[in-house]
Amino acid sequence: MAIYSVKGGVGKTTFAANLAWCSAQASGHRTLLWDLDAAGGSGFLYGLEPQGSRLAEEVFTRDQPATKLIQKTADPLVDVLPADESIRALDAHLMRIGKRKRLAKLAEDLSADYARILLDCPPVLNELSAQVARAADLIIVPLPPSPLSARALELVVREIAGTTKRHPPILPVLSMLDMRRSLHRQVREAQPNWPAVPYASVVEQCAVQQRPVGAIAPGSPAAQAFAMLWRAIEAKLAERQD
């Protein structure tokens, strides 16, 4: 599953880190959070420090075993394949080696050890995003409530559809929803069937405490929203299998 947006600052990494935790808790199976963003936010949200190596890109270009880079987290069922700054050059390297399904092949290999793999994607439109579309079984798109939310989703759908003849299902999710704001209420009324994650201080605490919402405040509305979102994701995946 890929958490993807063409814009930054929409909560993508927060979604990825929390959904990885929800996956492990809901299924009891090992889950891999694969960071494809050079900012390295996914590892940070699990309290992982950079190891100083610049090998993330070599997983794609030089057959560096991905398993050697995977790091354990405090949760025994959640591992992270971290990013580093070498990822910034990944698009050019993927174009050079010409392997259009390199990411899909790597994910397939890793699926022998992990029941679920979540991709934290950078906000780019390039060969890497095209490879994400070819590899993913589902694409989750966080969308902050605004009049442009529907248009932003249309852009994502159009761009993904242009990269592969049979693109995976796309699940839009309203992020940072604050029902105290009239504009947010209007967007929610316009999209009542989209899953939503509320704006909440406990979500911001994820970066402070470097733990998922469900571990910090399991009874909070935000934790419940992420759990509901995970159930919607599982339902989408079940539809695809049918």
Side-chain angles (χ1 to χ4, degrees), residues 30-120:
R30 296 179 70 198
T31 296
L32 178 66
L33 176 54
W34 190 347
D35 196 346
L36 295 172
D37 193 333
S42 289
F44 175 81
L45 289 182
Y46 274 92
L48 301 179
E49 296 294 333
Q51 295 184 328
S53 61
R54 293 171 53 86
L55 300 176
E57 170 261 337
E58 293 184 6
V59 170
F60 292 85
T61 60
R62 298 185 185 178
D63 294 322
Q64 169 77 16
T67 52
K68 289 189 176 181
L69 301 184
I70 291 173
Q71 296 186 42
K72 301 290 184 181
T73 71
D75 188 313
L77 294 177
V78 178
D79 294 344
V80 174
L81 180 50
D84 57 49
E85 291 209 356
S86 67
I87 291 288
R88 296 187 189 279
L90 182 56
D91 179 63
H93 288 305
L94 288 172
M95 294 293 289
R96 176 174 52 80
I97 64 177
K99 296 181 178 179
R100 299 177 71 247
K101 293 187 177 181
R102 180 65 172 146
L103 177 59
K105 177 61 169 62
L106 291 167
E108 182 181 358
D109 292 344
L110 288 165
S111 67
D113 296 319
Y114 296 96
R116 293 285 183 259
I117 299 174
L118 287 94
L119 307 175
D120 181 8

Side-chain angles (χ1 to χ4, degrees), residues 109-156:
D109 292 344
L110 288 165
S111 67
D113 296 319
Y114 296 96
R116 293 285 183 259
I117 299 174
L118 287 94
L119 307 175
D120 181 8
C121 305
V124 294
L125 294 171
N126 57 19
E127 176 58 23
L128 178 56
S129 60
Q131 296 231 358
V132 166
R134 298 181 196 116
D137 293 310
L138 177 67
I139 296 178
I140 299 105
V141 183
L143 296 163
S146 83
L148 298 178
S149 294
R151 292 187 63 184
L153 178 62
E154 290 172 5
L155 174 61
V156 170

Side-chain angles (χ1 to χ4, degrees), residues 131-207:
Q131 296 231 358
V132 166
R134 298 181 196 116
D137 293 310
L138 177 67
I139 296 178
I140 299 105
V141 183
L143 296 163
S146 83
L148 298 178
S149 294
R151 292 187 63 184
L153 178 62
E154 290 172 5
L155 174 61
V156 170
V157 172
R158 185 168 64 249
E159 293 295 337
I160 291 175
T163 64
T164 179
K165 293 181 179 178
R166 188 180 180 185
H167 70 77
I170 297 171
L171 179 63
V173 183
L174 291 175
S175 65
M176 298 178 281
L177 179 66
D178 186 348
M179 294 298 284
R180 297 170 300 181
R181 302 175 63 177
S182 59
L183 178 59
H184 286 212
R185 291 196 301 271
Q186 293 171 16
V187 174
R188 185 57 172 156
E189 290 168 2
Q191 306 295 347
N193 296 323
W194 287 5
V197 173
Y199 175 82
S201 60
V202 70
V203 176
E204 296 176 338
Q205 282 295 310
C206 289

